[in-house]
Amino acid sequence: MSTSHQPAPPPQPETSGFARVLDRAFGHPSGPLGRLGGWVMARGNAATEQRVVDLARIEPDETVLVVGPGPGVGLDAAARLAGRAIGVDPSPEMLGLCHERCGDRAELREGSAARTGEPDGSVDVVLTVNNVMLWDDRAVGFAELLRVLRPGGRLLLSAHEKWLPVSRHVLADEAAEAGFADLQTWTWDPPGFAALAAQLRAVKPV
């Protein structure tokens, strides 16, 4: 009787210790490293956060949803302009930093682009900075953000261009496939040492 042997599966690459540290500090912030990452993000992303808020042209009677607010710099800026501001983040550490920065100006809850916890058509503006590369499923994320926006509501997205999983033009195509319209995409070079930002603006059709 002969026996056949299946070839062994190729070894899977192990996540390096350094990669795990980066993930705990920036990708999925947790513990002391997460708080340190929040401190770094608050300083490194501040100019881009403020620019996205400025581009959104938030009105005093509008509701703004910030997806992945991190330490809350952009959320705080939006909350000072909007009638209602909401921040959703999967990291309890980041939500804690948001609460320290924003106080009662913003509503905070655990969530993500795919799971905002908002009713249909309840939001005028969605903002997200350096977060799209962490979405598990971008199609689901874009569909959820379209769902919670009111007709005519707008999405402003920004991310470090070098960290994008696809080009900004592909991101725009994915947003269009989800149902967004009036798409614009461009790059912006923040002051200081921050990385080049890829930015996208889209509108939910009326």
Side-chain angles (χ1 to χ4, degrees), residues 85-183:
I86 308 141
V88 296
D89 199 295
S91 167
E93 280 76 12
M94 292 301 101
L95 292 174
L97 291 177
C98 282
H99 181 69
E100 291 174 15
R101 186 179 301 275
C102 301
D104 295 333
R105 287 187 296 276
E107 301 169 30
L108 302 169
R109 71 172 70 101
E110 289 193 33
S112 64
R115 185 175 52 85
T116 66
E118 280 298 299
D120 293 357
S122 60
V123 172
D124 298 286
V125 181
V126 173
L127 307 177
T128 179
V129 174
N130 293 335
N131 185 255
V132 69
M133 61 279 286
L134 302 175
W135 297 3
D136 292 330
D137 188 320
R138 291 190 304 277
V140 172
F142 280 126
E144 170 71 356
L145 301 184
L146 185 78
R147 180 188 70 77
V148 301
L149 278 168
R150 296 188 176 105
R154 52 222 187 264
L155 164 68
L156 275 296
L157 180 154
S158 181
H160 296 309
E161 188 171 49
K162 66 180 179 180
W163 290 351
L164 283 177
V166 295
S167 75
R168 59 190 171 90
H169 302 292
V170 171
L171 277 182
D173 290 341
E174 292 175 350
E177 288 173 9
F180 282 97
D182 299 332
L183 284 112

